[in-house]
Coordinates of all heavy atoms in Angstrom, one line a residue:
M1 N 0.8 -1.2 0.0 CA 0.0 0.0 0.0 C 0.9 1.2 0.0 O 1.8 1.3 0.7 CB -0.9 0.0 1.3 CG -1.9 -1.0 1.3 SD -2.9 -0.7 2.7 CE -4.2 -1.8 2.4
S2 N 0.5 2.2 -0.8 CA 1.2 3.5 -0.7 C 0.5 4.4 0.1 O -0.7 4.4 0.2 CB 1.4 4.0 -2.2 OG 0.2 4.6 -2.6
T3 N 1.2 5.3 0.8 CA 0.6 6.3 1.6 C 0.8 7.7 1.1 O 2.0 8.1 0.9 CB 1.2 6.2 3.1 OG1 2.6 6.4 2.9 CG2 0.9 4.9 3.7
H4 N -0.2 8.3 0.7 CA -0.2 9.7 0.2 C -0.6 10.7 1.3 O -0.5 11.9 1.0 CB -1.1 9.8 -1.0 CG -0.6 9.1 -2.2 ND1 -1.1 7.9 -2.5 CD2 0.3 9.4 -3.1 CE1 -0.5 7.4 -3.6 NE2 0.4 8.3 -4.0
G5 N -1.0 10.3 2.4 CA -1.4 11.2 3.5 C -2.9 11.5 3.3 O -3.5 11.3 2.3
P6 N -3.5 12.0 4.4 CA -4.9 12.3 4.4 C -5.4 13.5 3.7 O -6.5 13.7 3.4 CB -5.2 12.4 5.9 CG -4.0 12.9 6.5 CD -2.9 12.3 5.7
Q7 N -4.4 14.4 3.4 CA -4.8 15.7 2.8 C -4.7 15.6 1.3 O -3.9 14.8 0.8 CB -4.0 16.8 3.3 CG -4.2 17.0 4.8 CD -3.4 18.1 5.4 OE1 -2.6 18.7 4.6 NE2 -3.5 18.4 6.6
H8 N -5.4 16.4 0.5 CA -5.4 16.4 -0.9 C -4.5 17.6 -1.4 O -5.0 18.5 -2.1 CB -6.8 16.6 -1.5 CG -7.7 15.4 -1.1 ND1 -7.4 14.1 -1.4 CD2 -8.8 15.4 -0.4 CE1 -8.3 13.3 -0.9 NE2 -9.2 14.1 -0.3
T9 N -3.3 17.7 -1.0 CA -2.4 18.8 -1.4 C -1.4 18.3 -2.4 O -0.8 17.2 -2.2 CB -1.6 19.4 -0.1 OG1 -0.9 18.3 0.5 CG2 -2.6 20.0 0.8
G10 N -1.2 19.1 -3.4 CA -0.2 18.8 -4.3 C -0.5 17.9 -5.5 O 0.0 17.9 -6.5
G11 N -1.5 17.0 -5.3 CA -1.8 16.0 -6.4 C -3.1 16.1 -7.0 O -3.3 15.6 -8.1
G12 N -4.1 16.7 -6.3 CA -5.5 16.7 -6.8 C -5.7 17.4 -8.1 O -5.6 16.9 -9.2
E13 N -6.0 18.7 -8.0 CA -6.2 19.6 -9.1 C -5.4 20.8 -9.0 O -5.9 21.9 -8.6 CB -7.7 20.0 -9.2 CG -8.6 18.8 -9.7 CD -9.4 18.3 -8.5 OE1 -9.4 18.8 -7.4 OE2 -10.2 17.3 -8.8
P14 N -4.1 20.7 -9.3 CA -3.2 21.9 -9.1 C -3.6 23.1 -10.0 O -3.5 24.2 -9.6 CB -1.8 21.4 -9.4 CG -2.0 20.2 -10.2 CD -3.3 19.6 -9.8
A15 N -4.1 22.8 -11.2 CA -4.5 23.9 -12.0 C -5.7 24.7 -11.5 O -5.7 25.9 -11.5 CB -4.8 23.4 -13.4
Q16 N -6.7 24.0 -10.9 CA -7.8 24.6 -10.3 C -7.4 25.4 -9.1 O -7.9 26.5 -8.9 CB -8.9 23.6 -10.0 CG -9.6 23.1 -11.2 CD -10.7 22.1 -10.9 OE1 -10.8 21.6 -9.7 NE2 -11.5 21.7 -11.9
N17 N -6.5 24.8 -8.3 CA -6.0 25.5 -7.1 C -5.3 26.8 -7.5 O -5.5 27.8 -6.9 CB -5.1 24.6 -6.3 CG -4.6 25.3 -5.0 OD1 -5.4 25.9 -4.4 ND2 -3.4 25.1 -4.7
L18 N -4.5 26.8 -8.6 CA -3.8 28.0 -9.0 C -4.8 29.0 -9.5 O -4.7 30.2 -9.2 CB -2.8 27.6 -10.1 CG -1.9 28.8 -10.6 CD1 -1.2 29.5 -9.5 CD2 -1.0 28.3 -11.6
D19 N -5.8 28.5 -10.3 CA -6.8 29.5 -10.8 C -7.6 30.1 -9.6 O -7.8 31.3 -9.7 CB -7.9 28.7 -11.7 CG -7.3 28.3 -13.0 OD1 -6.2 28.8 -13.4 OD2 -7.9 27.4 -13.6
Y20 N -7.9 29.4 -8.6 CA -8.5 29.9 -7.4 C -7.6 31.0 -6.7 O -8.1 32.1 -6.4 CB -8.9 28.8 -6.4 CG -9.3 29.3 -5.1 CD1 -10.7 29.7 -4.9 CD2 -8.5 29.4 -4.0 CE1 -11.1 30.2 -3.7 CE2 -8.9 29.9 -2.8 CZ -10.3 30.3 -2.6 OH -10.7 30.8 -1.4
R21 N -6.3 30.7 -6.6 CA -5.4 31.6 -5.9 C -5.3 32.9 -6.8 O -5.2 34.0 -6.2 CB -4.1 30.9 -5.7 CG -4.2 29.8 -4.6 CD -2.9 29.0 -4.5 NE -1.9 29.8 -3.9 CZ -0.6 29.4 -3.7 NH1 -0.3 28.2 -4.2 NH2 0.3 30.2 -3.1
I22 N -5.2 32.7 -8.1 CA -5.1 33.9 -9.0 C -6.4 34.8 -8.9 O -6.3 36.0 -8.8 CB -4.9 33.5 -10.5 CG1 -3.5 32.9 -10.6 CG2 -5.1 34.6 -11.4 CD1 -3.2 32.3 -12.0
A23 N -7.5 34.1 -8.8 CA -8.8 34.9 -8.7 C -8.8 35.7 -7.4 O -9.2 36.8 -7.3 CB -10.0 33.9 -8.8
H24 N -8.3 35.0 -6.3 CA -8.3 35.7 -5.0 C -7.3 36.9 -5.1 O -7.6 38.0 -4.5 CB -7.8 34.7 -3.9 CG -8.0 35.2 -2.5 ND1 -7.0 35.8 -1.8 CD2 -9.1 35.3 -1.8 CE1 -7.5 36.2 -0.6 NE2 -8.8 35.9 -0.6
L25 N -6.1 36.7 -5.7 CA -5.2 37.8 -5.9 C -5.8 38.9 -6.7 O -5.6 40.1 -6.3 CB -3.9 37.2 -6.6 CG -2.9 38.3 -7.1 CD1 -2.3 39.1 -5.9 CD2 -1.8 37.7 -7.9
Q26 N -6.5 38.6 -7.8 CA -7.1 39.7 -8.6 C -8.1 40.5 -7.7 O -8.2 41.7 -7.9 CB -7.8 39.1 -9.8 CG -6.7 38.6 -10.8 CD -7.3 37.8 -12.0 OE1 -8.3 37.0 -11.8 NE2 -6.8 38.0 -13.1
D27 N -8.9 39.8 -6.9 CA -9.9 40.4 -6.0 C -9.1 41.4 -5.1 O -9.6 42.5 -4.8 CB -10.7 39.4 -5.2 CG -11.7 38.7 -6.0 OD1 -12.0 39.1 -7.2 OD2 -12.2 37.7 -5.5
R28 N -8.0 40.9 -4.5 CA -7.2 41.8 -3.6 C -6.7 43.0 -4.3 O -6.8 44.1 -3.8 CB -6.1 41.0 -3.0 CG -6.4 40.5 -1.6 CD -5.1 39.8 -1.0 NE -4.3 40.8 -0.4 CZ -3.1 40.5 0.2 NH1 -2.7 39.3 0.3 NH2 -2.4 41.5 0.8
L29 N -6.2 42.8 -5.5 CA -5.6 43.9 -6.2 C -6.7 44.9 -6.6 O -6.5 46.1 -6.6 CB -4.9 43.5 -7.5 CG -3.6 42.7 -7.3 CD1 -3.0 42.1 -8.6 CD2 -2.5 43.5 -6.5
A30 N -7.9 44.4 -7.0 CA -9.0 45.3 -7.4 C -9.6 46.1 -6.3 O -10.1 47.2 -6.4 CB -10.0 44.5 -8.1
S31 N -9.6 45.5 -5.1 CA -10.3 46.1 -3.9 C -9.5 47.2 -3.2 O -10.0 48.0 -2.5 CB -10.7 45.0 -2.9 OG -9.6 44.4 -2.3
G32 N -8.2 47.2 -3.4 CA -7.3 48.1 -2.7 C -7.1 49.4 -3.5 O -7.7 49.7 -4.5
E33 N -6.1 50.1 -3.1 CA -5.7 51.4 -3.8 C -5.2 51.1 -5.2 O -5.2 51.9 -6.0 CB -4.6 52.1 -3.0 CG -5.0 52.6 -1.7 CD -3.9 53.3 -0.9 OE1 -2.8 53.6 -1.5 OE2 -4.1 53.6 0.3
L34 N -4.8 49.8 -5.4 CA -4.3 49.4 -6.7 C -5.4 49.1 -7.7 O -5.1 48.7 -8.8 CB -3.3 48.2 -6.5 CG -2.2 48.4 -5.5 CD1 -1.5 47.1 -5.3 CD2 -1.3 49.5 -6.0
G35 N -6.6 49.2 -7.3 CA -7.7 48.8 -8.1 C -7.8 49.5 -9.5 O -8.4 49.0 -10.4
E36 N -7.3 50.7 -9.6 CA -7.4 51.4 -10.8 C -6.4 51.0 -11.9 O -6.5 51.3 -13.0 CB -7.2 52.9 -10.5 CG -8.0 53.5 -9.4 CD -9.4 54.0 -9.9 OE1 -9.4 54.5 -11.0 OE2 -10.3 53.8 -9.2
L37 N -5.5 50.2 -11.5 CA -4.4 49.8 -12.4 C -4.8 48.7 -13.3 O -5.6 47.8 -13.0 CB -3.1 49.4 -11.6 CG -2.6 50.4 -10.6 CD1 -1.5 49.9 -9.8 CD2 -2.2 51.7 -11.3
G38 N -4.2 48.7 -14.5 CA -4.4 47.6 -15.4 C -3.4 46.5 -15.4 O -2.7 46.2 -16.3
V39 N -3.3 45.8 -14.2 CA -2.4 44.7 -14.1 C -3.1 43.4 -14.4 O -4.2 43.2 -13.8 CB -1.8 44.7 -12.6 CG1 -0.9 43.5 -12.4 CG2 -1.1 46.0 -12.3
R40 N -2.6 42.7 -15.3 CA -3.2 41.4 -15.6 C -2.4 40.3 -15.0 O -1.2 40.3 -14.9 CB -3.2 41.2 -17.1 CG -4.1 42.2 -17.8 CD -4.2 41.9 -19.3 NE -4.7 40.5 -19.5 CZ -4.9 39.9 -20.6 NH1 -4.7 40.6 -21.7 NH2 -5.3 38.7 -20.7
V41 N -3.1 39.2 -14.5 CA -2.5 38.1 -13.9 C -3.0 36.9 -14.6 O -4.2 36.6 -14.7 CB -2.9 38.0 -12.4 CG1 -2.2 36.8 -11.7 CG2 -2.7 39.3 -11.6
E42 N -2.1 36.1 -15.2 CA -2.4 35.0 -16.1 C -1.6 33.8 -15.7 O -0.4 33.9 -15.5 CB -2.1 35.3 -17.5 CG -2.9 36.5 -18.1 CD -2.4 36.8 -19.5 OE1 -2.2 35.8 -20.3 OE2 -2.3 38.0 -19.9
A43 N -2.3 32.6 -15.7 CA -1.6 31.4 -15.4 C -1.0 30.9 -16.8 O -1.6 31.0 -17.8 CB -2.6 30.3 -14.9
R44 N 0.3 30.5 -16.7 CA 1.0 29.9 -17.8 C 1.6 28.6 -17.4 O 2.7 28.6 -16.9 CB 2.1 30.9 -18.3 CG 1.6 32.2 -18.8 CD 1.0 32.1 -20.2 NE 0.3 33.3 -20.6 CZ 0.9 34.2 -21.4 NH1 2.1 34.0 -21.9 NH2 0.2 35.2 -21.8
G45 N 0.8 27.6 -17.5 CA 1.2 26.3 -17.0 C 1.2 26.3 -15.5 O 0.1 26.7 -14.9
Q46 N 2.3 26.0 -14.8 CA 2.3 26.1 -13.4 C 3.0 27.4 -12.9 O 3.4 27.5 -11.8 CB 3.1 24.9 -12.8 CG 2.3 23.6 -12.9 CD 0.9 23.7 -12.2 OE1 0.8 24.0 -11.1 NE2 -0.1 23.4 -13.0
T47 N 3.2 28.4 -13.8 CA 3.8 29.7 -13.5 C 2.7 30.7 -13.7 O 1.7 30.5 -14.3 CB 5.0 30.0 -14.3 OG1 4.7 30.1 -15.7 CG2 6.1 29.0 -14.1
V48 N 3.0 31.9 -13.2 CA 2.1 33.0 -13.3 C 2.8 34.2 -14.0 O 4.0 34.5 -13.7 CB 1.5 33.5 -11.9 CG1 0.7 34.7 -12.0 CG2 0.7 32.3 -11.4
L49 N 2.1 34.9 -14.9 CA 2.7 36.0 -15.6 C 1.9 37.3 -15.2 O 0.7 37.3 -15.3 CB 2.6 35.8 -17.1 CG 3.0 37.0 -18.0 CD1 4.5 37.3 -17.8 CD2 2.7 36.7 -19.4
L50 N 2.6 38.3 -14.7 CA 2.1 39.6 -14.4 C 2.4 40.6 -15.6 O 3.6 40.7 -15.9 CB 2.6 40.2 -13.1 CG 2.4 39.5 -11.8 CD1 3.1 40.2 -10.7 CD2 0.9 39.5 -11.5
T51 N 1.4 41.3 -16.1 CA 1.7 42.3 -17.1 C 0.9 43.5 -16.8 O -0.1 43.5 -16.1 CB 1.3 41.7 -18.5 OG1 -0.1 41.4 -18.5 CG2 2.2 40.6 -19.0
G52 N 1.4 44.6 -17.3 CA 0.7 45.9 -17.1 C 1.6 47.0 -16.9 O 2.8 46.9 -16.9
T53 N 1.0 48.2 -16.6 CA 1.7 49.4 -16.4 C 1.3 50.0 -15.0 O 0.1 50.0 -14.7 CB 1.4 50.5 -17.5 OG1 1.7 49.9 -18.8 CG2 2.3 51.7 -17.3
V54 N 2.3 50.4 -14.3 CA 2.1 51.0 -12.9 C 2.7 52.3 -12.9 O 3.7 52.6 -13.6 CB 2.6 50.0 -11.8 CG1 1.9 48.7 -11.8 CG2 4.1 49.8 -12.0
P55 N 2.2 53.2 -12.0 CA 2.7 54.6 -12.0 C 4.0 54.8 -11.4 O 4.7 55.9 -11.6 CB 1.6 55.4 -11.3 CG 0.9 54.3 -10.4 CD 1.0 53.0 -11.2
S56 N 4.4 53.9 -10.5 CA 5.7 54.2 -9.8 C 6.3 52.9 -9.3 O 5.7 51.8 -9.2 CB 5.4 55.1 -8.5 OG 4.6 54.3 -7.6
A57 N 7.6 53.0 -9.0 CA 8.3 51.8 -8.4 C 7.7 51.3 -7.1 O 7.6 50.1 -6.9 CB 9.8 52.1 -8.3
P58 N 7.4 52.2 -6.2 CA 6.8 51.8 -4.9 C 5.5 51.0 -5.2 O 5.2 50.0 -4.5 CB 6.5 53.0 -4.1 CG 7.6 54.0 -4.6 CD 7.7 53.7 -6.1
C59 N 4.7 51.5 -6.1 CA 3.4 50.8 -6.5 C 3.7 49.4 -7.0 O 3.1 48.4 -6.6 CB 2.7 51.6 -7.5 SG 1.1 50.9 -8.0
R60 N 4.7 49.3 -7.9 CA 5.2 48.0 -8.4 C 5.6 47.0 -7.2 O 5.2 45.9 -7.2 CB 6.3 48.1 -9.4 CG 6.8 46.9 -10.0 CD 8.0 47.2 -10.9 NE 8.4 46.0 -11.6 CZ 9.3 45.1 -11.1 NH1 9.9 45.4 -9.9 NH2 9.7 44.1 -11.7
E61 N 6.3 47.6 -6.3 CA 6.8 46.8 -5.1 C 5.6 46.3 -4.3 O 5.6 45.2 -3.8 CB 7.8 47.6 -4.3 CG 9.1 47.8 -5.0 CD 9.8 46.6 -5.5 OE1 9.8 45.6 -4.8 OE2 10.2 46.6 -6.7
E62 N 4.6 47.2 -4.1 CA 3.4 46.8 -3.3 C 2.7 45.7 -4.0 O 2.2 44.7 -3.4 CB 2.5 48.0 -3.1 CG 1.3 47.7 -2.3 CD 0.4 48.9 -2.0 OE1 0.9 50.0 -2.2 OE2 -0.7 48.7 -1.6
I63 N 2.5 45.7 -5.4 CA 1.9 44.7 -6.1 C 2.7 43.4 -6.0 O 2.1 42.3 -5.7 CB 1.8 45.1 -7.6 CG1 0.7 46.2 -7.7 CG2 1.4 43.9 -8.4 CD1 0.7 46.8 -9.1
L64 N 4.0 43.4 -6.1 CA 4.8 42.2 -6.0 C 4.7 41.6 -4.6 O 4.7 40.4 -4.4 CB 6.2 42.5 -6.4 CG 6.4 42.9 -7.9 CD1 7.9 43.2 -8.2 CD2 6.0 41.8 -8.8
R65 N 4.6 42.5 -3.6 CA 4.5 41.9 -2.2 C 3.2 41.2 -2.1 O 3.1 40.1 -1.5 CB 4.5 43.1 -1.2 CG 5.9 43.4 -0.6 CD 5.9 44.3 0.6 NE 5.1 45.5 0.4 CZ 5.7 46.6 -0.1 NH1 6.9 46.6 -0.5 NH2 4.9 47.7 -0.3
T66 N 2.1 41.8 -2.6 CA 0.8 41.2 -2.6 C 0.8 39.8 -3.3 O 0.2 38.8 -2.8 CB -0.3 42.1 -3.1 OG1 -0.3 43.4 -2.4 CG2 -1.7 41.5 -3.0
V67 N 1.4 39.8 -4.5 CA 1.5 38.6 -5.2 C 2.3 37.5 -4.5 O 1.9 36.4 -4.4 CB 2.2 38.9 -6.6 CG1 2.6 37.6 -7.3 CG2 1.3 39.7 -7.5
D68 N 3.4 37.9 -3.8 CA 4.2 37.0 -3.0 C 3.3 36.4 -1.9 O 3.4 35.2 -1.6 CB 5.4 37.6 -2.4 CG 6.5 37.8 -3.4 OD1 6.5 37.2 -4.5 OD2 7.4 38.6 -3.2
E69 N 2.5 37.2 -1.3 CA 1.6 36.7 -0.2 C 0.6 35.7 -0.7 O 0.4 34.6 -0.1 CB 0.9 37.9 0.5 CG 1.8 38.8 1.3 CD 1.1 40.0 1.8 OE1 -0.2 40.1 1.6 OE2 1.7 40.9 2.3
E70 N -0.1 36.0 -1.8 CA -1.1 35.2 -2.3 C -0.7 34.0 -3.1 O -1.3 33.0 -3.1 CB -2.0 36.0 -3.3 CG -2.9 37.1 -2.5 CD -3.9 36.5 -1.6 OE1 -4.4 35.4 -1.9 OE2 -4.2 37.1 -0.6
L71 N 0.5 34.1 -3.7 CA 0.9 33.0 -4.6 C 2.2 32.4 -4.1 O 3.1 32.0 -4.9 CB 1.1 33.5 -6.0 CG -0.2 34.0 -6.7 CD1 0.1 34.5 -8.1 CD2 -1.3 33.0 -6.7
A72 N 2.4 32.3 -2.8 CA 3.6 31.8 -2.2 C 3.9 30.4 -2.7 O 3.0 29.6 -2.8 CB 3.5 31.7 -0.7
G73 N 5.1 30.2 -3.2 CA 5.5 28.9 -3.7 C 5.2 28.7 -5.2 O 5.6 27.7 -5.8
V74 N 4.6 29.7 -5.8 CA 4.3 29.6 -7.3 C 5.3 30.5 -8.0 O 5.5 31.7 -7.6 CB 2.9 30.1 -7.6 CG1 2.6 30.1 -9.1 CG2 1.9 29.2 -6.9
P75 N 6.0 30.0 -9.1 CA 6.9 30.8 -9.8 C 6.1 32.0 -10.5 O 5.1 31.7 -11.2 CB 7.5 29.9 -10.8 CG 7.2 28.5 -10.4 CD 6.0 28.6 -9.5
V76 N 6.6 33.2 -10.4 CA 5.9 34.4 -11.0 C 6.9 35.1 -11.9 O 8.0 35.4 -11.4 CB 5.4 35.3 -9.9 CG1 4.8 36.5 -10.5 CG2 4.3 34.6 -9.0
H77 N 6.5 35.4 -13.1 CA 7.3 36.3 -14.0 C 6.6 37.6 -14.1 O 5.4 37.7 -14.4 CB 7.4 35.6 -15.4 CG 8.2 36.4 -16.3 ND1 9.6 36.5 -16.2 CD2 7.8 37.2 -17.3 CE1 10.0 37.3 -17.2 NE2 9.0 37.8 -17.9
S78 N 7.3 38.7 -13.8 CA 6.7 40.0 -13.8 C 7.2 40.8 -15.0 O 8.4 41.0 -15.2 CB 7.1 40.7 -12.5 OG 6.6 42.1 -12.5
D79 N 6.3 41.3 -15.8 CA 6.5 42.3 -16.8 C 5.8 43.5 -16.6 O 5.1 44.1 -17.4 CB 6.1 41.7 -18.2 CG 7.1 40.7 -18.8 OD1 8.3 40.9 -18.4 OD2 6.8 39.9 -19.6
L80 N 5.9 44.1 -15.4 CA 5.2 45.3 -15.0 C 6.1 46.5 -15.4 O 7.3 46.6 -15.0 CB 4.9 45.4 -13.5 CG 4.0 44.3 -13.0 CD1 3.8 44.4 -11.5 CD2 2.6 44.5 -13.6
V81 N 5.6 47.4 -16.1 CA 6.3 48.6 -16.6 C 6.0 49.8 -15.7 O 4.8 50.0 -15.4 CB 5.9 48.9 -18.1 CG1 6.6 50.2 -18.6 CG2 6.2 47.7 -19.0
V82 N 7.0 50.5 -15.3 CA 6.8 51.7 -14.4 C 6.8 52.9 -15.3 O 7.8 53.1 -16.0 CB 7.9 51.7 -13.3 CG1 7.8 53.0 -12.5 CG2 7.9 50.5 -12.5
T83 N 5.8 53.7 -15.2 CA 5.7 54.9 -16.0 C 6.4 56.1 -15.4 O 6.9 57.0 -16.1 CB 4.2 55.3 -16.4 OG1 3.5 55.5 -15.2 CG2 3.6 54.2 -17.2
E84 N 6.3 56.2 -14.0 CA 7.0 57.3 -13.3 C 6.8 58.6 -13.9 O 7.6 59.2 -14.5 CB 8.5 57.0 -13.1 CG 9.1 57.7 -11.9 CD 8.7 57.1 -10.6 OE1 8.9 55.9 -10.4 OE2 8.1 57.8 -9.8
T85 N 5.5 59.2 -13.7 CA 5.2 60.4 -14.3 C 5.5 61.6 -13.4 O 5.1 62.8 -13.7 CB 3.7 60.5 -14.7 OG1 2.9 60.2 -13.5 CG2 3.4 59.4 -15.8
S86 N 6.2 61.4 -12.3 CA 6.4 62.5 -11.4 C 7.5 63.5 -12.0 O 8.3 63.1 -12.9 CB 6.9 62.0 -10.1 OG 8.1 61.3 -10.2
S87 N 7.6 64.6 -11.4 CA 8.6 65.6 -11.8 C 10.0 65.2 -11.4 O 10.1 64.5 -10.4 CB 8.3 67.0 -11.2 OG 7.0 67.4 -11.5
P88 N 11.0 65.5 -12.2 CA 12.3 65.1 -11.8 C 12.7 65.9 -10.5 O 12.2 66.9 -10.2 CB 13.2 65.6 -13.0 CG 12.4 66.5 -13.8 CD 10.9 66.2 -13.4
D89 N 13.6 65.2 -9.8 CA 14.0 65.8 -8.5 C 15.2 66.7 -8.6 O 15.7 67.3 -7.7 CB 14.3 64.7 -7.5 CG 15.4 63.7 -7.9 OD1 15.9 63.9 -9.1 OD2 15.8 62.9 -7.1
H90 N 15.7 66.9 -9.9 CA 16.8 67.8 -10.1 C 16.7 68.4 -11.5 O 16.1 67.8 -12.4 CB 18.2 67.1 -9.9 CG 18.4 66.0 -10.8 ND1 17.9 64.7 -10.6 CD2 19.1 65.9 -12.0 CE1 18.2 63.9 -11.6 NE2 18.9 64.6 -12.4
A91 N 17.4 69.5 -11.7 CA 17.3 70.2 -13.1 C 18.1 69.4 -14.0 O 19.2 68.8 -13.7 CB 17.8 71.6 -12.9
E92 N 17.6 69.3 -15.3 CA 18.4 68.7 -16.3 C 19.5 69.7 -16.8 O 19.2 70.8 -17.1 CB 17.5 68.3 -17.5 CG 18.2 67.6 -18.6 CD 17.2 67.2 -19.7 OE1 16.0 67.4 -19.6 OE2 17.7 66.7 -20.7
E93 N 20.7 69.2 -17.0 CA 21.8 70.0 -17.4 C 21.9 69.9 -18.9 O 22.2 68.8 -19.4 CB 23.0 69.7 -16.7 CG 23.0 70.1 -15.2 CD 24.3 69.8 -14.5 OE1 25.4 69.9 -15.2 OE2 24.3 69.5 -13.3
L94 N 21.8 71.0 -19.7 CA 22.0 70.9 -21.1 C 23.4 71.5 -21.4 O 23.7 72.6 -20.9 CB 20.9 71.7 -21.8 CG 19.5 71.3 -21.5 CD1 18.5 72.2 -22.2 CD2 19.3 69.8 -22.1
A95 N 24.1 70.9 -22.3 CA 25.4 71.3 -22.6 C 25.4 72.2 -23.9 O 24.6 72.2 -24.7 CB 26.4 70.2 -22.9

């Protein structure tokens, strides 16, 4: 007899579990301050792809922290582009 343990972790329906976790992540991103952003979260096999544009590096970091919390243990590839529309913090020197 083989023993797989009493819990259904890791072998049952990993794709459905990942889809559920992605849906929960999308709900979290949409409900917070980040809800206005066009960040897409897509399953690619057993990995997740993040795409979209964010206004600042801190915003990108906040999204990545949220993703790490929700999708711990899942490989994530991030293609988030930072637009950084703020004013420069110093004058541009022209020669």
Side-chain angles (χ1 to χ4, degrees):
M1 292 186 170
S2 77
T3 57
H4 291 98
Q7 299 178 357
H8 301 300
T9 57
E13 289 105 1
Q16 288 180 348
N17 183 39
L18 183 57
D19 289 342
Y20 172 80
R21 292 172 72 186
I22 288 172
H24 192 262
L25 170 63
Q26 289 171 323
D27 288 345
R28 262 187 83 181
L29 292 176
S31 67
E33 292 178 14
L34 305 173
E36 308 273 325
L37 302 175
V39 176
R40 294 187 56 178
V41 184
E42 300 176 38
R44 298 285 171 101
Q46 290 301 307
T47 63
V48 172
L49 174 64
L50 294 177
T51 58
T53 304
V54 296
S56 66
C59 180
R60 180 181 183 275
E61 294 305 315
E62 184 176 344
I63 290 170
L64 294 176
R65 270 194 305 274
T66 303
V67 170
D68 285 344
E69 290 172 9
E70 289 296 328
L71 302 179
V74 176
V76 175
H77 180 75
S78 174
D79 279 336
L80 295 176
V81 177
V82 177
T83 58
E84 202 71 60
T85 57
S86 64
S87 301
D89 59 353
H90 60 280
E92 181 178 356
E93 292 183 30
L94 300 174

